[in-house]
Amino acid sequence: MTTQPLQALIFDVDGTLADTESVHRAAFNQAFAELGLDWHWDEALYTELLEVSGGKERIAHYWRQVHPDVKPLDGMALDETIAHIHELKTAAYERAVQEGAVALRPGALKLIEAAYNEGLALAIATTTSPVNIAALLRGAIGPDWRSFFQVVEDASTAPKKKPHPQVYLQTLEGLGLPAEACLAFEDSGNGLKAARAAGLDTIVTPNAFTAHHDFTGALRVLPSLEGVGVAHLRAWKADAPAS
């Protein structure tokens, strides 16, 4: 049994706070089309590609595995080309979010607000870009979204992608709390591995792209955060076996 009282909640973003992956997939395809690339990621392929954490890493993996003959655009180096594709993709995603294509998953905002009002520290630990985070949470929470979160770690501050625990270790350091005093929220197998490697009890809310993942070791696996309150989290954390 754990003895540390619950003091902080740490949230992943894509797939966890919001069902963003369909919009991300459309944005990738739009970027490919803008550059005249004959690439198209359908839902089945994108589900496989999500095993690779990080958008740039996903592009590089696909390029190496499926189109090793494709040359960088206009004489640019490979890394520069991938960065350019990802830049166009990010712009397309941000436009879609601004147009209302993405909303927070059921129960997510209510839990964030309840935890904040009860004095729990809140943090974000994600491998997505800061632009993507801001686009989503500015629309879902408001222009002052950042004031809810004591710590925000993302792809710009934690370059080692999940399942590496870097983003969670840095988040715990920023919070100044031990893992035993926190709960993580994830949607994927890689996310769960990263959180558990940092010693965090983890609640998983799978989505259509991650439902087939292995969630062994999760504290709870739930369809969403709808109906989940701080009292539930405290009880589940208190009953969790020692990490």
Side-chain angles (χ1 to χ4, degrees):
M1 303 285 283
T2 59
T3 56
Q4 281 272 5
L6 181 61
Q7 298 180 59
L9 308 183
I10 306 173
F11 293 93
D12 171 54
V13 175
D14 286 330
T16 300
L17 286 182
D19 278 327
T20 57
E21 296 301 355
S22 293
V23 181
H24 278 300
R25 182 176 72 84
F28 277 113
N29 287 331
Q30 185 172 333
F32 301 152
E34 284 184 46
L35 293 171
L37 294 170
D38 187 22
W39 297 359
H40 180 79
W41 291 356
D42 61 20
E43 189 168 306
L45 174 58
Y46 191 64
T47 299
E48 294 178 11
L49 290 171
L50 284 174
E51 301 292 335
V52 179
S53 296
K56 293 178 185 177
E57 290 79 5
R58 213 164 288 144
I59 296 167
H61 174 82
Y62 177 77
W63 198 331
R64 288 193 303 267
Q65 297 297 318
V66 183
H67 295 291
D69 56 319
V70 175
K71 299 296 186 290
L73 300 172
D74 299 324
M76 290 191 293
L78 180 60
D79 287 350
E80 292 176 349
T81 300
I82 290 171
H84 183 50
I85 295 171
H86 193 259
E87 182 180 316
L88 292 176
K89 175 263 170 184
T90 298
Y93 174 80
E94 187 172 9
R95 287 194 298 272
V97 171
Q98 289 172 346
E99 291 167 2
V102 180
L104 293 190
R105 292 183 67 181
L109 181 56
K110 188 173 182 179
L111 180 58
I112 288 171
E113 291 175 337
Y116 181 82
N117 290 333
E118 290 200 25
L120 293 180
L122 300 174
I124 287 173
T126 179
T127 52
T128 196
S129 70
V131 171
N132 287 348
I133 299 167
L136 173 66
L137 296 184
R138 187 170 53 242
I141 297 176
D144 62 341
W145 71 269
R146 186 62 178 79
S147 65
F148 279 85
F149 298 95
Q150 186 172 324
V151 175
V152 175
E153 294 284 342
D154 54 46
S156 70
T157 60
K160 294 180 180 177
K161 306 298 184 184
K162 299 172 184 176
H164 195 285
Q166 181 186 46
V167 69
Y168 279 111
L169 294 172
Q170 291 182 186
T171 299
L172 290 170
E173 183 178 359
L175 288 169
L177 292 171
E180 293 77 13
C182 307
L183 275 178
F185 294 81
E186 278 286 352
D187 71 295
S188 70
N190 278 344
L192 174 61
K193 289 176 184 176
R196 294 299 296 139
L200 287 156
D201 289 322
T202 308
I203 293 173
V204 177
T205 52
N207 56 66
F209 288 100
T210 64
H212 63 288
H213 289 188
D214 180 5
F215 298 123
T216 301
L219 181 62
R220 289 286 190 286
V221 179
L222 307 171
S224 74
L225 293 174
E226 191 167 21
V228 175
V230 175
H232 296 102
L233 302 181
R234 293 190 194 279
W236 296 339
K237 186 79 175 70
D239 288 339
S243 298

